[in-house]
Amino acid sequence: MSAVFAQTEWTTPPDPPEFAAQSEPVFVSGSDIQEYKALPEYHEPDFVKAFVDAGKLPPVAERLPKEPLVFKTPNMPDGMGVYGDTMRHVIGGRPDGWNYIGGATQGWGGIDIGMYECLTRTGPLFQVKADELEPLPNLAKSWEWSEDGHELTMHLIEGAKWSDGEPFGADDVMFYWEDNVLDTNVAPTGGATPESFGEGTTLEKIDDATVKWTFKQAKPTQFLYAMAYGTFCPGPAHILKPQHPKYSENNYDQYKNAFPPEFLNFPVMGAWVPVEYRPDDVIVLRRNPYYWKVDENGNQLPYLNEVSYRLSTWADRDVQTIAGTADFSNLEQPENFVESLRRAAEETAPARLQFGARTIGYTLYPNLSGNGWGEPNELSQAVRELNRNIDFRKAITYAIDRKSLGESLVKGPFTTPYPGGLYAGTSFYDKDSTAFFGYDMEKAKEYLAKAGLEDTDGNGVVNFPSGTAGGQDVQITMLVNADYTTDKSLAEGVLAQMEALGIRVILDTVSGNSLAEYQQGGKYDWAILRNGSDLVSVVQGTAGLAPVGPRTAFSHRAGTDGTLDLMPFEQEMVDTVNKFIASADNAERADLMKTYQQIYTQNLYAIGLTQYPGALLINKRFANIPAGAPIFQFNWAEDNVIRERLYVPADKQTTNELHPNTLPNTPGVGNGPISN
Ligand code: GLA
């Protein structure tokens, strides 16, 4: 690996302040959690049975697949549950439709996680023994590799149905793959691209319950993680396909928006179906009568009849959960930590609060594409050239005072300066491979001059050299998510620190939904972003660790000609990540991640800001919450806690269900839930 500058410039990062996670998982094997088998009998809530008795629904045994997924009792912290009650969520996002695979978002906060099931599942892996780590089967109930490792045959759950009773099968999987992943006009929510599964990978249908993958690499078990949330969660082909541009007159935008939030009872494989939507108010989902998971007694899951999502703000999610008017929050905005801790410590507090490891982190991403991604104007193109200049990136990193940025969010032992790359405290992290550039304004200014930037007009902002962008002020547009207080606080902090350096930053503060569009469209100079699971787990979202494909990385994608203009150090990152994906040798993989971390942090691929822990807030009436469930690791807590298995003991049940005794109606605009 080529060192780009003298090693005296950085140190290893400071050790994070002591902050012990408040509960540890009970580590088990994947096969201790679940299995697939037929049971002698099946049960359902009485009110659902009444639909069957009235001839409005087939008997439960006919609604389930041949071999349902069975959650094993010993792995349920409180054992098998009882039916009833609801889980009230609050979210800061807004839905733009149900077509997840076509690129519509549902508002986050666990709505999509609860609606769309994926071939494999990784959220619950936080409790799986490290040496047995492998994604859990889900829609794919088993798989086997060919002798040479290039083929992977997957067996889907057989005889399972979508929530509207239509059969689920290989056609749904193939529609997702062929017309949504391979069709690059579609940008599936969750970010799947062909490269997420390896260059040259193919998928074919063998029969209704079997599909076969063929990989260029031998036994790339890594891709089993990409088959989990959110990159391989097929949608209902029976209603989506007729709207796809290949099979209709629709354009791609019309396809994406063909199922607006007003379209209710959208067919899902998940545990709950959307039955009510009120703009800026609420989304209500009722139990899926065709859900394909059961407990060992044959009780069809979920135990909870309903889940709802108040459409408010993310900060309000914490406030309401603490107050007991909502049931679930990932306490992830440090601005709310102190008050939440104080309230949760009171004996009468309705919610339990449990801090985990430091897996929430923010990074400043300079747009590294120099060849036209997002069609930059002259000024933006000049900024891109600067972004690609190591002296410029060094100037930025030296000018950032990470300690005060963190303390502006919350004081105390929570935040720690984050150099970028893999997080301290996670399994692939190596401190000695991490380059940290401590705050030093003198050096920052030296590097700015070295990058050719000087304040020629004496207005306090450096100018481009006279031949570039007319020698105007260096002015940088920074994309920021408007939905989170933390994102905005960090952006303000960075803006002020850049001002001190002599760089003008203009904030482009947009809603989460627009942010995704701007980001994927390359319409930004810099962006401040909360990181994904790739930097926590490495095995989840691995293709996002470097620009391994034309559109896998966050901050460097191909221009209009479809090619990437990788700098030599980025090429080294790509090679390292590709080797990681192809390797099954744990020692080699650990070494490769050390190399990755060195290249990332020494070359400042992106600029880390702060890293801190989050806490899981759940109302105390819920049972079966796994010990040590992190708010974010392989996935978000809404997947980690296995919501379909959560229940409320009979003596604690509330009357909070908004549509008691109802089930989803037929899919369509204006169709609410139905009562028997
Ligand atoms: C948002 C929230 C997270 C989590 C995810 C789930 O991003 O900020 O805490 O709820 O949604 O997708």
Side-chain angles (χ1 to χ4, degrees):
M1 206 207 78
S2 53
V4 284
F5 37 82
Q7 204 153 351
T8 48
E9 291 197 302
W10 67 79
T11 59
T12 55
D15 285 322
E18 280 296 319
F19 190 85
Q22 289 174 317
S23 121
E24 290 294 322
V26 179
F27 288 100
V28 298
S29 304
S31 58
D32 293 329
I33 301 175
Q34 60 182 51
E35 64 185 323
Y36 292 79
K37 69 172 182 197
L39 295 177
E41 53 184 60
Y42 298 105
H43 311 280
E44 61 200 320
D46 289 343
F47 89 86
V48 182
K49 179 78 174 36
F51 278 77
V52 177
D53 294 342
K56 293 181 177 163
L57 200 64
V60 62
E62 289 172 25
R63 304 198 306 266
L64 288 164
K66 237 163 122 178
E67 292 184 319
L69 185 155
V70 183
F71 282 113
K72 295 189 171 177
T73 313
N75 183 249
M76 293 184 173
D78 301 298
M80 279 185 276
V82 294
Y83 288 123
D85 215 330
T86 180
M87 183 174 256
R88 300 162 304 165
H89 304 71
V90 174
I91 58 176
R94 292 294 180 273
D96 50 30
W98 306 120
N99 188 3
Y100 177 92
I101 68 171
T105 53
Q106 290 73 50
W108 310 108
I111 294 203
D112 55 322
I113 293 175
M115 289 176 61
Y116 305 95
E117 299 266 350
C118 319
L119 287 180
T120 63
R121 186 177 196 179
T122 55
L125 291 185
F126 73 89
Q127 55 169 315
V128 170
K129 295 174 191 152
D131 55 344
E132 294 184 22
L133 208 59
E134 185 182 58
L136 298 170
N138 201 49
L139 291 173
K141 65 175 179 176
S142 63
W143 50 80
E144 66 266 340
W145 294 91
S146 62
E147 198 129 338
D148 67 2
H150 289 284
E151 289 176 3
L152 173 69
T153 304
M154 286 192 140
H155 306 282
L156 307 173
I157 44 171
E158 223 181 309
K161 301 188 173 63
W162 292 92
S163 57
D164 61 350
E166 290 296 317
F168 161 81
D171 289 341
D172 297 299
V173 172
M174 294 313 296
F175 171 65
Y176 175 62
W177 174 253
E178 281 169 354
D179 295 325
N180 294 275
V181 179
L182 295 188
D183 183 342
T184 51
N185 297 304
V186 183
T189 305
T193 76
E195 292 73 32
S196 311
F197 308 88
E199 224 162 323
T201 297
T202 61
L203 180 65
E204 59 191 299
K205 171 179 170 177
I206 303 297
D207 59 40
D208 281 346
T210 318
V211 292
K212 190 175 85 185
W213 295 89
T214 307
F215 301 104
K216 287 253 149 70
Q217 300 95 324
K219 213 169 177 199
T221 52
Q222 186 54 51
F223 295 130
L224 292 169
Y225 290 87
M227 296 174 201
Y229 178 85
T231 38
F232 213 113
C233 317
H238 63 282
I239 79 159
L240 293 176
K241 200 168 176 175
Q243 301 295 330
H244 188 282
K246 199 164 138 192
Y247 313 94
S248 73
E249 304 281 287
N250 283 344
N251 63 33
Y252 283 92
D253 243 19
Q254 288 167 324
Y255 168 58
K256 170 181 165 182
N257 297 315
F259 300 92
E262 292 77 16
F263 184 101
L264 296 173
N265 311 302
F266 184 82
V268 300
M269 290 304 286
W272 299 278
V273 186
V275 298
E276 184 183 20
Y277 165 66
R278 291 175 188 273
D280 290 322
D281 181 4
V282 75
I283 296 172
V284 187
L285 296 93
R286 292 291 297 172
R287 60 180 309 119
N288 169 1
Y290 290 88
Y291 199 51
W292 43 282
K293 303 185 186 178
V294 301
D295 69 16
E296 283 185 336
N297 271 358
N299 296 309
Q300 185 185 32
L301 296 176
Y303 292 125
L304 300 173
N305 286 332
E306 189 180 284
V307 293
S308 62
Y309 296 83
R310 279 280 158 210
L311 305 176
S312 178
T313 65
W314 295 111
D316 190 40
R317 175 170 74 165
D318 300 337
V319 171
Q320 289 218 41
T321 308
I322 282 289
T325 52
D327 298 321
F328 184 102
S329 185
N330 298 322
L331 183 65
E332 61 192 358
Q333 300 202 76
E335 293 90 336
N336 283 355
F337 283 7
V338 174
E339 178 62 10
S340 303
L341 275 166
R342 193 185 64 72
R343 287 282 284 113
E346 289 167 11
E347 210 161 300
T348 55
R352 36 164 262 170
L353 179 157
Q354 214 159 65
F355 265 101
R358 280 193 183 82
T359 59
I360 308 290
Y362 280 84
T363 301
L364 170 60
Y365 288 93
N367 188 330
L368 295 178
S369 172
N371 64 351
W373 176 41
E375 292 157 16
N377 60 20
E378 193 191 358
L379 174 61
S380 280
Q381 182 60 27
V383 174
R384 307 271 184 106
E385 303 297 339
L386 280 181
N387 289 344
R388 290 169 66 88
N389 177 339
I390 181 67
D391 291 326
F392 181 67
R393 297 198 301 281
K394 277 202 250 174
I396 303 166
T397 203
Y398 275 130
I400 291 177
D401 180 351
R402 293 171 174 78
K403 196 159 186 306
S404 67
L405 266 190
E407 283 176 356
S408 74
L409 304 178
V410 64
K411 296 215 168 24
F414 302 104
T415 66
T416 190
Y418 168 50
L422 308 178
Y423 292 158
T426 58
S427 52
F428 283 97
Y429 174 76
D430 177 53
K431 177 176 168 176
D432 292 334
S433 306
T434 307
F436 179 66
F437 297 81
Y439 174 58
D440 187 333
M441 198 46 106
E442 283 302 295
K443 278 197 182 146
K445 291 196 164 157
E446 271 168 38
Y447 276 106
L448 209 55
K450 235 177 132 190
L453 303 178
E454 220 185 294
D455 180 9
T456 49
D457 53 10
N459 70 349
V461 179
V462 294
N463 297 76
F464 284 105
S466 54
T468 307
Q472 61 182 294
D473 286 348
V474 172
Q475 177 171 309
I476 293 175
T477 305
M478 186 160 78
L479 190 60
V480 186
N481 191 335
D483 297 354
Y484 295 91
T485 318
T486 308
D487 296 51
K488 288 185 284 186
S489 321
L490 287 172
E492 298 282 348
V494 167
L495 181 145
Q497 298 185 351
M498 288 303 119
E499 196 169 44
L501 175 65
I503 288 177
R504 183 181 297 134
V505 172
I506 312 276
L507 300 186
D508 193 5
T509 312
V510 302
S511 77
N513 292 3
S514 312
L515 180 109
E517 265 168 47
Y518 283 46
Q519 181 270 309
Q520 284 162 16
K523 306 244 179 259
Y524 66 95
D525 300 335
W526 290 1
I528 284 210
L529 200 86
R530 190 180 68 189
N531 291 317
S533 51
D534 46 348
L535 294 171
V536 182
S537 76
V538 173
V539 292
Q540 185 76 52
T542 312
L545 285 171
V548 297
R551 41 177 206 158
T552 61
F554 180 75
S555 57
H556 195 166
R557 296 193 176 191
T560 33
D561 68 352
T563 65
L564 286 159
D565 50 349
L566 297 182
M567 292 177 273
F569 84 87
E570 292 180 284
Q571 186 60 53
E572 288 179 40
M573 283 176 67
V574 166
D575 295 343
T576 308
V577 169
N578 281 334
K579 274 190 209 148
F580 179 91
I581 290 173
S583 166
D585 175 337
N586 283 339
E588 186 188 7
R589 280 160 72 103
D591 276 346
L592 286 165
M593 276 303 125
K594 288 183 188 171
T595 306
Y596 172 83
Q597 180 79 344
Q598 282 167 21
I599 308 173
Y600 188 125
T601 57
Q602 290 179 15
N603 293 282
L604 300 160
Y605 170 66
I607 309 213
L609 300 174
T610 188
Q611 185 194 341
Y612 58 82
L616 186 59
L617 276 175
I618 303 193
N619 190 282
K620 286 178 182 163
R621 74 179 190 283
F622 290 90
N624 268 353
I625 295 150
I631 71 160
F632 190 55
Q633 190 174 346
F634 298 92
N635 194 358
W636 289 99
E638 291 90 339
D639 187 21
N640 306 347
V641 301
I642 317 183
R643 279 180 298 177
E644 62 267 34
R645 255 180 21 170
L646 298 187
Y647 72 95
V648 181
D651 60 339
K652 293 189 184 148
Q653 293 209 354
T654 67
T655 52
N656 290 337
E657 282 179 63
L658 293 168
H659 295 289
N661 301 319
T662 65
L663 285 177
N665 197 349
T666 46
V669 174
N671 293 353
I674 41 165
S675 345
N676 181 27

